[in-house]
Amino acid sequence: MHAPDQTDLLTLLGTGLAVVGLDGRVAWLNPALGEVLDVGPRTAQGQELAVLMRAPSLSAQLARVLAERRGFHLRGLALGLRGREVSADVSLQPIDDERVLVEVHPLAHDVASGATPLSATLRGFAHEVKNPLAGLRGAAQLLQRRVGDDDLRQLAGMVIAEADRLAALADGLLRHRGAARIGPVSVHELLDRLEGLVVAEPDAPRVRHDFDPSLPDSVGDTDRLMQVLLNLTRNAGQAGASTITLRTRVEHGARLGDRTVRAALRIDVMDDGAGVPDDLRDSLFQPLVSGRPDGTGLGLALSREIALEHGGDLRYTSRPGETVFSLYLPMERTHE
């Protein structure tokens, strides 16, 4: 076995892994377990794993593994994660006389409502797209320098900006820096930028606005929210929409997951396309589910995951000629 801190393979695995020393403190932790514990791998180093997992009984089990030099499997271990108790199957295996390999599998019924098992898939996908993105950016830079037409230079600049945004998202997935980088978001400026990207595409649908002018600025990760909205508008175009309507509203007393918030920002992406096929309605947000032969099935699953990490939700209603995807974001950021 390679030393974990030198093994890219272990870092990219979707299974939560940690290496713990004699004192029960973390010597190494991969991004997948960092996601479960809501802590960065570097931050976790040197901390007691039992404290990070809020499972006091784990300390004695770790000591027992080293004392008896054999592995243990803990079924349904109660963990106090993200402000609530969840269960996980935890495997403990001795590496040598001083180290234990810990493997954590959160039980599916304890995953937050609507969450998707997507993170490992996305990290693998992000790894694959980094090199093509770099080539795309380089080609766009060359075009920007060589063309004399201002409009073409502007389009090349748009390609560069989008390649940079996607590369940043890929880097974030590979390093998995944990929670979204929350900051102020001017929703209508974001939607104006979205419109510019939509209409720049070939055979672009017409874009209409139905904005609430009194809407205040929100908070969130601008790049990730843009990714959600861009996925929705592109899906609408691929469903044959001739018109996309971008609508903003405030919804009071909105139910988001297992809680009700006083007010939520709702961004609707409405289109007049063919609608969601009947056989996909119950699985639409699951990874690798797509209604197109050339689809990856990642866009909507990722979009739902981003909405959830913002404390919000992504929902839809659909019939032929009218499909509405609604992104909900709480007006007040909560810390769980």
Side-chain angles (χ1 to χ4, degrees), residues 239-243 270-276 317-324:
S242 60
T243 301
M270 183 164 49
D271 72 75
D272 59 358
V276 176
T317 60
S318 182
R319 59 182 176 83
E322 184 178 289
T323 296
V324 183

Side-chain angles (χ1 to χ4, degrees), residues 215-263:
L215 201 69
D217 285 352
S218 185
V219 291
D221 185 315
T222 301
D223 284 343
R224 294 189 190 184
L225 293 177
M226 174 60 83
Q227 185 67 44
V228 173
L229 296 169
L230 201 53
N231 283 338
L232 299 179
T233 55
R234 284 177 174 163
N235 284 350
Q238 290 160 355
S242 60
T243 301
I244 294 174
T245 301
L246 304 177
R247 179 170 59 193
T248 59
R249 293 291 188 270
V250 173
E251 187 162 319
H252 297 282
R255 184 74 177 173
L256 300 179
D258 58 0
R259 64 195 177 95
T260 300
V261 298
R262 286 189 298 175

Side-chain angles (χ1 to χ4, degrees), residues 7-281:
T7 306
D8 291 338
L9 206 61
L10 290 177
T11 299
L12 293 174
L13 281 177
T15 301
L17 299 173
V19 173
V20 179
L22 279 170
D23 56 2
R25 296 182 182 275
V26 175
W28 173 86
L29 179 142
N30 75 341
L33 185 53
E35 177 187 359
V36 172
L37 303 180
D38 200 19
V39 64
R42 291 185 180 179
T43 303
Q45 289 182 10
Q47 297 193 49
E48 290 187 45
L49 185 63
V51 174
L52 288 175
M53 296 175 67
R54 296 162 182 84
S57 64
L58 187 61
S59 294
Q61 295 291 347
L62 289 167
R64 186 181 175 190
V65 169
L66 290 175
E68 300 183 15
R69 291 298 308 276
R70 65 187 181 94
F72 290 93
H73 298 282
L74 311 177
R75 302 294 183 187
L77 182 67
L79 312 178
L81 302 181
R82 295 173 181 166
R84 64 191 183 94
E85 186 174 289
V86 300
S87 298
D89 289 342
V90 179
S91 174
L92 310 175
Q93 297 291 338
I95 297 174
D96 50 34
D97 292 338
E98 299 183 345
R99 297 181 299 167
V100 177
L101 178 65
V102 180
E103 192 172 330
V104 179
H105 298 273
L107 298 181
H109 62 269
D110 281 319
V111 176
S113 175
T116 57
L118 192 58
S119 298
T121 304
L122 287 175
R123 281 195 293 274
F125 179 72
H127 182 74
E128 292 298 322
V129 303
K130 285 196 72 176
N131 286 338
L133 279 175
L136 179 67
R137 190 186 196 283
Q141 282 182 310
L142 286 175
L143 284 173
Q144 194 176 42
R145 293 188 194 123
R146 293 181 181 179
V147 297
D149 186 281
D150 288 341
D151 288 339
L152 292 179
R153 276 199 298 268
Q154 184 177 355
L155 288 174
M158 187 178 295
V159 171
I160 293 169
E162 285 301 290
D164 287 343
R165 182 177 62 81
L166 291 174
L169 286 171
D171 285 341
L173 287 167
L174 289 172
R175 292 196 296 270
H176 210 88
R177 290 169 293 201
R181 290 175 289 177
I182 301 301
V185 177
S186 174
V187 174
H188 293 153
E189 286 183 11
L190 185 69
L191 293 174
D192 285 342
R193 179 180 161 204
L194 172 70
E195 181 181 358
L197 294 171
V198 173
V199 300
E201 295 186 351
D203 301 319
R206 181 173 54 168
V207 177
R208 289 179 171 174
H209 298 164
D210 183 3
F211 292 166
D212 178 352
S214 66
L215 201 69
D217 285 352
S218 185
V219 291
D221 185 315
T222 301
D223 284 343
R224 294 189 190 184
L225 293 177
M226 174 60 83
Q227 185 67 44
V228 173
L229 296 169
L230 201 53
N231 283 338
L232 299 179
T233 55
R234 284 177 174 163
N235 284 350
Q238 290 160 355
S242 60
T243 301
I244 294 174
T245 301
L246 304 177
R247 179 170 59 193
T248 59
R249 293 291 188 270
V250 173
E251 187 162 319
H252 297 282
R255 184 74 177 173
L256 300 179
D258 58 0
R259 64 195 177 95
T260 300
V261 298
R262 286 189 298 175
L265 163 66
R266 194 184 82 225
I267 304 174
D268 295 330
V269 177
M270 183 164 49
D271 72 75
D272 59 358
V276 176
D278 289 340
D279 60 340
L280 297 183
R281 288 178 181 269

